[in-house]
């Protein structure tokens, strides 16, 4: 049986003001959304300093496979 496995996104890039979205990977875990305050990798790569909208807490985040970045322009139109 052949199974296609999508590799982790190693080219995730963001800019200050973009939003990091982490989808709930399990039942009962809600989606998290936070504003990217800083990027610490080269050319906007992770880790990201994120301020979470639900708590206001700030954290240094290395996004996993359940995360994606929405540009500030996308976020302002939704």
């Amino acid at each position: 049986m052949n199974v296609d496995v999508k590799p982790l996104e190693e080219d995730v890039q963001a800019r200050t003001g973009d939003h990091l979205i982490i989808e709930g990977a399990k039942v009962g875990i809600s989606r998290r959304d936070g504003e990217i305050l800083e990027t610490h990798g080269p050319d906007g790569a992770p880790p990201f300093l994120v301020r979470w909208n639900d708590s206001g807490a700030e954290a240094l985040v290395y996004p996993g496979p359940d995360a994606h970045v929405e540009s500030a322009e996308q976020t302002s139109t939704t």
Side-chain angles (χ1 to χ4, degrees):
M1 178 167 105
N2 291 335
V3 177
D4 290 332
V5 177
K6 183 178 178 184
L8 289 175
E9 295 290 330
E10 294 183 17
D11 60 348
V12 173
Q13 293 182 324
R15 294 181 296 183
T16 299
D18 289 349
H19 279 246
L20 180 66
I21 311 296
I22 300 179
E23 302 296 342
K26 297 180 183 178
V27 174
I29 297 178
S30 60
R31 175 182 182 177
R32 293 197 81 190
D33 176 10
E35 180 182 356
I36 297 173
L37 303 175
E38 299 173 356
T39 61
H40 288 263
D43 300 319
F48 305 132
L49 180 63
V50 176
R51 181 184 310 121
W52 298 111
N53 291 341
D54 59 354
S55 66
E58 294 180 4
L60 191 62
V61 179
Y62 288 87
D66 56 343
H68 65 274
V69 173
E70 287 186 359
S71 70
E73 294 82 24
Q74 285 177 306
T75 304
S76 66
T77 60
T78 57

